[in-house]
Amino acid sequence: DIDTDRLRRLMSFAIGEPIDSAYVPLMREELSVTGDDLRAPRWRADDLAPGRPFRVAVVGAGMSGILAAHRLAQAGVEFVIFEKNDDVGGTWLENTYPGCRVDVSNHVYSYSFAQRNDWPDYFSPQPELLDYFRACADEFGLREHIRFGHEVTAMTWSDDDHHWVVEVSGPDGSARQEFDAVISAVGQLNRPAMPAIRGMDDFVGPAFHSARWDHDVDLADAHVVVIGAGASAVQFVPHVAEQATHLTVLQRTPNWFVPVPTYHEPVADGLQWLFRHVPGYAQWYRFWLFWRSSEGLLPACAVDDDWDDLSRSTGVRNAELRGLLEQWLALCYADRPDLLEKVLPTYPPASKRIVLDNGSWPNTLKRPDGPLDGEALDRNESDAVVTRDADGRETRHRADVIIYATGFQASQFLTPMKVVGTGGRDLHEVWDGDARAYLGVVHPGFPNFFLSYGPNTNIVVNGSIIYFSECEVNYALGVIEMLLRNEWTSVDCRQEVHDAYNERIDAGNLKMAWGVSTVNSWYKADSGRVAQNWPFSLLEYWQQTRTPDPADFVVERM
Ligand code: NAP
């Protein structure tokens, strides 16, 4: 083992700057220099509560579900995973559109305890990631615990018996099973959002959402209209452009882009050699990437108190970032000032997710058939999509195929499942379209119920969502440990703890670009409140989720 001071000095050397000692224990876990899984539970259910039957339902076998199940297995807790699909992988199973790849460096977008030193690309394409999660599920021995093709439809807490009744719909019909606790790992970006378009069903050709790609539809020689220009569209449109006779991209709001020349590149041979031959090199590389992205651009997203005009930037650093990103767009569209006007965002950077780009998106938009239309969507016709400009002038875009790249119902957490807690309270009625939770994981009135990737656990410009899931699952396992150790039957988050936490989160988000900007984004619930994002540092989330405080809960004993 390496002592803390030595490790801190090594870390400082690796990143070329001093490292705050508060980060060292977090980074020790992420780095895992000895190859040990430092976040593994250090307890076993049999030791804490010998003979006590205790079963957990995990909903979903994507990135978070695999993680939660693995931790439960390590702690010797009995569990079942319900997965609506026929395989593991979640988002990486469902999104099969051409060009789909991760937008976080892959050496960081992987579990801290299942690091790989042989990623072929800096940013892996979807099949590579799906293979990774499949391999993890196999290696951790999870498949035998997964009920594939089984969708959880409802979960109801029994006030009398202190367990959850989980209703599942599968190939043989519906069934109910009882569990002592539930971990929901259903993700946020899962249920496609379809726009409400006049005459939507009048269109007679094939039409599909990017997350439900129809590979049977031949795009060659077709007039293709893509509705939406977010992260998904940016990835698949250049591929569609290679096949289609004519392409139209309907963009309601332009994105900010950050240039990443290696976005589609294989890892350089020299680096691969180092990963293969120098022991620990890949771990230190991951550490270096993690550090660079850990708080990343966060300070450049902050709102300066004395900043007058928040419509274009939110402070000095945000304005500097804006200047840099504007320069990139100006460079990309130097030969097309007409296009630059259409693609230059007016809103402050980081109000929406900044999209990675290696130049393929501008190159596609510069095609001679002029694919970009920034006017408002008006209606579908049998063979066209019609847009209308501010003066009422219509443009008819011939369409043989329509692809909806219109995102997900991200703020509709846990839908369409019905979740009923103490006193028969329905979670969606409690939320009323504005989901909240304590630490994004627990909610008052819903004992022994844990969320992964719940409200306010998304990050905009820093870190990787896998890191967040590891923190969330660590917290959930910590609460389960308390339950077993203390012979409690239920733990229910205190309302005042939840409320005070959410006040702080809301205030924090209002100090960030995504909180003050009025631009459309999937970060906000219908109420306009930011229901998705964590506004503080990665360090702080780790500190808060490391060890649950029993005082935060109302508990019931056996
Ligand atoms: P998105 O970012 O929400 O983009 C949806 C697009 O559809 C936007 O351009 C939106 O316009 C447009 N749109 C929605 N409703 C519309 C309507 N009624 N009329 C016209 N346009 C409409 O969805 P996404 O591209 O699927 O990405 C969602 C998130 O998934 C990303 O932010 C990212 O976190 C994740 N993602 C990641 C990757 C990756 O890792 N590389 C890839 C894909 C997705 P407005 O902007 O005006 O709302």
Side-chain angles (χ1 to χ4, degrees):
D1 201 10
I2 305 177
D3 71 62
T4 302
D5 188 55
R6 187 140 177 259
L7 188 61
R8 187 184 53 74
R9 283 185 288 130
L10 278 168
M11 286 176 172
S12 292
F13 175 77
I15 58 177
E17 58 179 289
I19 181 167
D20 185 330
S21 53
Y23 278 88
V24 174
L26 153 62
M27 288 301 181
R28 183 192 281 274
E29 288 179 8
E30 278 296 324
L31 177 64
S32 181
V33 75
T34 52
D36 294 330
D37 177 359
L38 299 176
R39 292 194 183 125
R42 292 194 196 91
W43 52 274
R44 298 272 310 168
D46 280 352
D47 298 333
L48 299 186
R52 176 176 172 183
F54 192 89
R55 276 204 326 154
V56 179
V58 178
V59 189
M63 178 275 286
S64 299
I66 291 171
L67 166 63
H70 178 50
R71 292 306 192 209
L72 291 167
Q74 287 176 315
V77 177
E78 199 185 332
F79 63 92
V80 176
I81 312 174
F82 297 107
E83 169 53 59
K84 69 177 164 35
N85 294 323
D86 293 329
D87 200 353
V88 301
T91 201
W92 297 111
L93 177 71
E94 292 180 0
N95 283 273
T96 61
Y97 60 77
C100 180
R101 65 172 70 223
V102 66
D103 64 356
V104 173
S105 296
N106 224 153
H107 294 79
V108 172
Y109 189 86
S110 43
Y111 299 124
S112 63
F113 54 89
Q115 300 186 21
R116 264 181 64 176
N117 67 357
D118 59 349
W119 292 106
D121 289 14
Y122 293 101
F123 299 86
S124 287
Q126 171 263 337
E128 191 67 35
L129 283 157
L130 181 56
D131 282 352
Y132 172 75
F133 290 111
R134 280 176 170 154
C136 286
D138 291 339
E139 193 186 317
F140 307 150
L142 300 181
R143 281 190 191 268
E144 62 185 277
H145 300 272
I146 307 178
R147 306 286 170 268
F148 288 112
H150 284 75
E151 181 165 359
V152 172
T153 53
M155 292 175 269
T156 307
W157 174 254
S158 164
D159 287 327
D160 295 333
D161 301 325
H162 288 191
H163 60 225
W164 284 95
V165 178
V166 176
E167 291 178 46
V168 184
S169 162
D172 304 322
S174 297
R176 291 162 158 240
Q177 292 187 41
E178 291 166 7
F179 291 90
D180 299 280
V182 172
I183 300 179
S184 167
V186 296
Q188 286 183 18
L189 301 167
N190 179 271
R191 305 274 165 179
M194 295 298 276
I197 303 179
R198 209 150 53 93
M200 184 149 180
D201 298 333
D202 293 351
F203 179 68
V204 295
F208 53 86
H209 188 275
S210 59
R212 302 285 181 269
W213 197 270
D214 188 341
H215 292 275
D216 292 336
V217 175
D218 186 5
L219 300 177
D221 306 325
H223 283 61
V224 180
V225 174
V226 176
I227 300 180
S232 298
V234 168
Q235 293 191 330
F236 72 73
V237 161
H239 295 267
V240 171
E242 282 171 13
Q243 300 170 51
T245 306
H246 190 281
L247 171 71
T248 305
V249 178
L250 301 185
Q251 168 201 270
R252 187 167 62 181
T253 314
N255 300 295
W256 285 111
F257 289 92
V258 63
V260 178
T262 56
Y263 193 27
H264 294 176
E265 298 298 313
V267 174
D269 290 346
L271 201 49
Q272 290 286 28
W273 189 93
L274 288 166
F275 291 155
R276 274 199 306 276
H277 298 290
V278 179
Y281 195 94
Q283 280 151 288
W284 282 99
Y285 177 75
R286 183 185 197 275
F287 162 77
W288 174 73
L289 285 173
F290 187 93
W291 178 258
R292 277 199 328 172
S293 71
S294 62
E295 307 313 351
L297 290 172
L298 212 54
C301 308
V303 176
D304 287 357
D305 288 335
D306 54 355
W307 205 248
D308 287 336
D309 179 9
L310 295 172
S311 64
R312 291 169 57 79
S313 57
T314 61
V316 178
R317 306 245 344 230
N318 190 257
E320 282 169 7
L321 175 62
R322 180 184 184 100
L324 286 171
L325 301 181
E326 274 179 354
Q327 279 179 33
W328 168 245
L329 288 174
L331 197 68
C332 290
Y333 296 94
D335 52 341
R336 290 291 304 274
D338 57 318
L339 260 182
L340 179 61
E341 213 175 297
K342 288 187 187 175
V343 298
L344 200 58
T346 51
Y347 59 86
S351 311
K352 292 161 85 76
R353 179 111 172 144
I354 302 176
V355 181
L356 305 197
D357 180 39
N358 63 351
S360 61
W361 176 250
N363 286 342
T364 304
L365 297 190
K366 285 196 258 179
R367 271 166 53 123
D369 53 353
L372 190 69
D373 182 337
E375 303 307 339
L377 191 57
D378 188 69
R379 64 184 183 278
N380 282 358
E381 292 183 350
S382 62
D383 60 348
V385 180
V386 180
T387 56
R388 182 190 281 264
D389 71 12
D391 300 322
R393 274 189 300 267
E394 291 188 349
T395 308
R396 203 173 174 281
H397 300 281
R398 179 180 153 190
D400 302 318
V401 180
I402 298 177
I403 306 175
Y404 294 98
T406 39
F408 300 89
Q409 302 169 38
S411 59
Q412 306 294 311
F413 289 87
L414 303 188
T415 51
M417 294 186 295
K418 188 173 173 67
V419 184
V420 179
T422 54
R425 289 193 305 167
D426 184 308
L427 184 56
H428 288 106
E429 282 173 19
V430 175
W431 277 341
D432 193 19
D434 187 6
R436 297 164 185 267
Y438 176 54
L439 296 170
V441 183
V442 288
H443 193 288
F446 297 82
N448 303 7
F449 189 82
F450 307 97
L451 292 147
S452 183
Y453 205 12
N456 296 105
T457 59
N458 184 62
I459 38 184
V460 183
V461 289
N462 56 331
S464 133
I465 207 64
I466 295 187
Y467 165 84
F468 261 73
S469 288
E470 289 195 20
C471 293
E472 292 147 16
V473 167
N474 181 64
Y475 184 80
L477 266 281
V479 178
I480 291 173
E481 178 191 0
M482 288 195 317
L483 264 169
L484 293 172
R485 190 182 289 282
N486 297 298
E487 300 192 346
W488 296 337
T489 52
S490 83
V491 282
D492 192 1
C493 176
R494 292 182 186 278
Q495 188 72 47
E496 63 274 19
V497 169
H498 166 274
D499 294 352
Y501 169 84
N502 272 274
E503 258 178 50
R504 191 165 169 263
I505 288 287
D506 289 352
N509 273 322
L510 287 174
K511 301 294 281 175
M512 303 308 276
W514 54 79
V516 291
S517 171
T518 54
V519 74
N520 300 321
S521 83
W522 60 266
Y523 299 150
K524 290 181 182 163
D526 290 347
S527 64
R529 173 183 168 266
V530 175
Q532 314 290 341
N533 298 338
W534 168 255
F536 307 119
S537 68
L538 292 198
L539 176 65
E540 189 171 333
Y541 194 68
W542 177 79
Q543 287 167 333
Q544 291 196 21
T545 51
R546 206 170 175 205
T547 313
D549 182 350
D552 289 344
F553 297 90
V554 177
V555 303
E556 303 258 5
R557 288 173 194 284
M558 282 179 100

